[in-house]
Amino acid sequence: MSAVLARVESLTVRFPGQPRAAVDDVSLVVHAGECVALVGESGSGKSLTARALLGLLPRAAIATHTSLEIIAPGGTFGAAPEPGHRRWDAIRGAHGSLIPQDALAALDPLRRVEHEVGDALRLHGLATGAERRHRVLAALNAAGMPEPARHLRQRSDELSGGLRQRALVATALIADPEFIVADEPTTALDAGHRGNVLSRLRQRVDQGCGVLLITHDLASVRGVADRVLVMRHGRIIEAGDPARVLTHPAHPFTRELLESSPAGKPRGMRLTGASDSPDDSQDLPASAPVAPIASPRATCAPRLELADISVSFGTHQVLRGVSLELGAGETVGLVGESGSGKTTLLRVALGLQRPDAGTVRIDSVDRSTLSARARLQLRKRLAFVPQDPLDSFPRGATGGHILADALRAAGIPRASRTAQSAALATEVGLETELLRRPTQSLSGGQRQRLSIARALARDPEVLLLDEPVSALDVTVQARVLDLLDDVQARRGTSFLFVSHDVDVIHHMSDRVLRLENGEIARG
């Protein structure tokens, strides 16, 4: 048996005021040369379990365990330091590292990429000066960042979500740690770069590293993990070899995870067995289609038109003459590699980015010809679900405050906002008790659902979705995708849907467009 790199016995994590333990009597071990995958719904305790192994639990967390052991300097293995102890500084980065889920929150917006990625080398005295820069460039290149030298002097807010994610991967791997916690390491990446990162992790495992992989991408588990642990409600409910667990699962919840995938499910087919809307039938079979809305593109003016849009940042041209139309009740899927300009195009549509050339029309009205007040009224017909929801939330605000503010902007009377907020939360599968918590304390999936609820508050005609389910596990993703179908069927909402997930895009879209090097690919 290979050497043990990390082990915890009977871990329990609680938070003050919460009736149920977030992690409940969990034990796991990671050996050298082994990748252990931890899968389950958002909020099931996966990230808390993993962070406990690196002494990174939130301050408010109350953790107990029978034992907690981890690899330490000098290759020794023994009891982990107490939370907050300075001995962790010698372990983290050099011997144990974390690829965190939230790429924006994890990167310091005031520091340049070169300094962020090279910190482990500097803090542990592993390289200096020119050697450190050389290793930073090599790490960024290995993580799949295109033209890494061009990004060295940039800050995180100048990078796309995919580029931020690759910077985090490089940061975690640059010092060649023996033990890696990879918490949704491919969330913001397209299929090609996702495969590259997973291949890189597997390569490290084959070289003797130990990896704890937290993911909701079950397809990635099949080719990377040696063991799979399934978590639900803070407990491990199933464990075993990936071939057995993912092909012949023993637990009903594991079967639900597998059945919720959109892979091979055509447009309009439900992914869940019951509707998320209280107005719909609760015993609708999983295979039942959502009532389709015939696209009126042939007979009605498009709700949104982008004509010959070009955008440059300095000498770098992001978009080159991009045009698209979106009809009433239609979903147009937009795919492309990270950094291909998808998010920039959505910002142009919203009026948050002025194009260098081109025209934006909403219901056939050229936005540039309107007064500021008229543009504001036209803007209310569009809503946006961003890729990094935490970045768009006021710091310290609770979910309830965010939804109440969105309802205020939509003109909902004050007396109705609490009930409406609860209804929106229920629609997107967010427990109403979570609305009392600051958004920083929510899981990535919970924040994404809150972001979708906020966008629906104004009942928009056009919804622009930038990776709206990228942070969600497959069961919650399925409920949200069904919810979006229901919204479209009831209200005729139009969606411009950006995603790296090809299965999601083909399941949701009437038409699919691909951006390549800032242009719509032909053919």
Side-chain angles (χ1 to χ4, degrees):
M1 178 66 69
S2 300
V4 175
L5 299 179
R7 175 166 52 205
V8 66
E9 297 287 344
S10 301
L11 173 69
T12 297
V13 180
R14 296 182 178 274
F15 287 92
Q18 297 299 313
R20 190 175 67 195
V23 177
D24 190 0
D25 194 27
V26 166
S27 299
L28 65 83
V29 60
V30 180
H31 296 89
E34 178 184 44
C35 177
V36 178
L38 197 55
V39 302
E41 289 184 317
S42 300
S44 63
K46 305 186 304 294
S47 293
L48 288 172
T49 299
R51 284 176 172 268
L53 295 174
L54 292 175
L56 291 173
L57 285 173
R59 289 181 181 272
I62 303 169
T64 60
H65 50 73
T66 303
S67 66
L68 175 59
E69 301 167 291
I70 192 168
I71 193 74
T76 59
F77 180 79
E82 291 297 317
H85 196 284
R86 293 185 62 182
R87 283 177 54 209
W88 278 115
D89 295 338
I91 297 173
R92 291 195 290 255
H95 302 278
S97 66
L98 170 70
I99 304 175
Q101 180 179 9
D102 196 324
L104 185 64
L107 293 171
D108 188 335
L110 301 180
R111 302 186 72 213
R112 302 186 190 279
V113 168
E114 178 178 7
H115 301 143
E116 286 281 278
V117 176
D119 251 0
L121 300 179
R122 178 181 63 84
L123 293 172
H124 294 281
L126 300 176
T128 59
E131 181 189 356
R132 188 160 68 227
R133 170 170 285 198
H134 175 75
R135 289 184 63 173
V136 168
L137 286 170
L140 290 171
N141 185 64
M145 183 174 284
E147 302 179 80
R150 184 166 67 85
H151 300 294
L152 285 181
R153 306 294 294 170
Q154 291 182 314
R155 298 181 175 87
S156 61
D157 62 349
E158 299 175 278
L159 302 177
S160 70
L163 292 180
R164 292 173 193 158
Q165 193 68 34
R166 278 171 269 186
L168 286 180
V169 172
T171 301
L173 301 185
I174 194 169
D176 295 326
E178 294 101 320
F179 173 58
I180 300 167
V181 171
D183 190 354
E184 300 286 2
T186 61
T187 292
L189 303 181
D190 58 80
H193 289 104
R194 182 164 60 245
N196 177 72
V197 168
L198 294 172
S199 176
R200 175 74 170 158
L201 288 175
R202 185 65 233 185
Q203 182 183 45
R204 294 301 309 276
V205 170
D206 293 340
Q207 293 170 350
C209 181
V211 171
L212 180 60
L213 174 64
I214 299 168
T215 182
H216 59 260
D217 182 2
L218 298 181
S220 68
V221 169
R222 294 178 188 272
V224 178
D226 299 293
R227 285 190 293 126
V228 177
L229 310 179
V230 182
M231 285 193 74
R232 193 182 196 194
H233 301 324
R235 286 180 168 268
I236 294 176
I237 60 170
E238 186 164 3
D241 177 84
R244 198 276 302 165
V245 173
L246 300 180
T247 305
H248 302 289
H251 197 281
F253 174 70
T254 310
R255 291 196 291 272
E256 182 184 353
L257 283 177
L258 296 170
E259 291 166 359
S260 297
S261 170
K265 307 284 179 62
R267 176 82 167 109
M269 178 180 288
R270 298 197 71 83
L271 302 175
T272 57
S275 169
D276 291 292
S277 169
D279 298 326
D280 293 335
S281 171
Q282 294 301 304
D283 50 354
L284 194 65
S287 59
V290 174
I293 294 178
S295 175
R297 294 179 62 240
T299 57
C300 298
R303 281 187 173 168
L304 174 66
E305 296 175 85
L306 303 175
D308 298 318
I309 300 297
S310 294
V311 176
S312 296
F313 296 121
T315 59
H316 179 55
Q317 190 165 16
V318 180
L319 297 173
R320 301 177 179 87
V322 173
S323 299
L324 65 82
E325 296 181 354
L326 182 63
E330 181 185 29
T331 297
V332 172
L334 191 62
V335 298
E337 290 190 353
S338 301
S340 62
K342 303 185 300 298
T343 298
T344 299
L345 190 63
L346 294 186
R347 289 177 58 82
V348 169
L350 283 164
L352 301 176
Q353 173 69 49
R354 186 187 296 274
D356 300 327
T359 304
V360 178
R361 297 185 183 90
I362 301 172
D363 288 336
S364 300
V365 178
D366 183 345
R367 189 168 57 198
S368 65
T369 65
L370 301 178
S371 65
R373 173 172 291 186
R375 284 200 302 272
L376 180 61
Q377 291 302 314
L378 199 65
R379 165 70 178 81
K380 291 182 178 180
R381 301 182 189 179
L382 278 65
F384 180 51
V385 179
Q387 183 176 13
D388 290 299
L390 189 61
D391 184 41
S392 68
F393 295 154
R395 191 165 186 83
T398 65
H401 289 146
I402 287 169
L403 292 186
D405 187 60
L407 290 165
R408 176 195 59 77
I412 302 300
R414 180 190 296 269
S416 303
R417 291 175 197 164
T418 299
Q420 291 272 26
S421 294
L424 283 169
T426 300
E427 260 198 308
V428 299
L430 189 67
E431 295 180 18
T432 54
E433 66 182 35
L434 296 176
L435 296 182
R436 297 192 291 270
R437 289 171 50 179
T439 56
Q440 289 88 342
S441 70
L442 300 179
S443 71
Q446 290 164 347
R447 290 196 294 263
Q448 197 80 315
R449 281 174 271 168
L450 178 63
S451 181
I452 293 170
R454 178 181 60 179
L456 293 176
R458 65 174 62 181
D459 193 15
E461 294 179 3
V462 175
L463 197 57
L464 307 176
L465 304 114
D466 190 3
E467 300 284 358
V469 294
S470 64
L472 305 181
D473 59 81
V474 289
T475 54
V476 177
Q477 171 184 276
R479 291 196 289 270
V480 171
L481 294 179
D482 281 353
L483 164 68
L484 291 172
D485 274 340
D486 290 339
V487 167
Q488 192 169 59
R490 287 195 305 268
R491 310 178 191 181
T493 313
S494 303
F495 298 154
L496 182 55
F497 198 114
V498 169
S499 177
H500 290 120
D501 191 321
V502 175
D503 292 330
V504 168
I505 279 288
H506 285 287
H507 173 71
M508 292 297 295
S509 304
D510 298 299
R511 293 184 293 130
V512 179
L513 304 177
R514 175 175 290 278
L515 266 178
E516 291 182 2
N517 299 318
E519 299 177 316
I520 298 292
R522 304 300 176 189

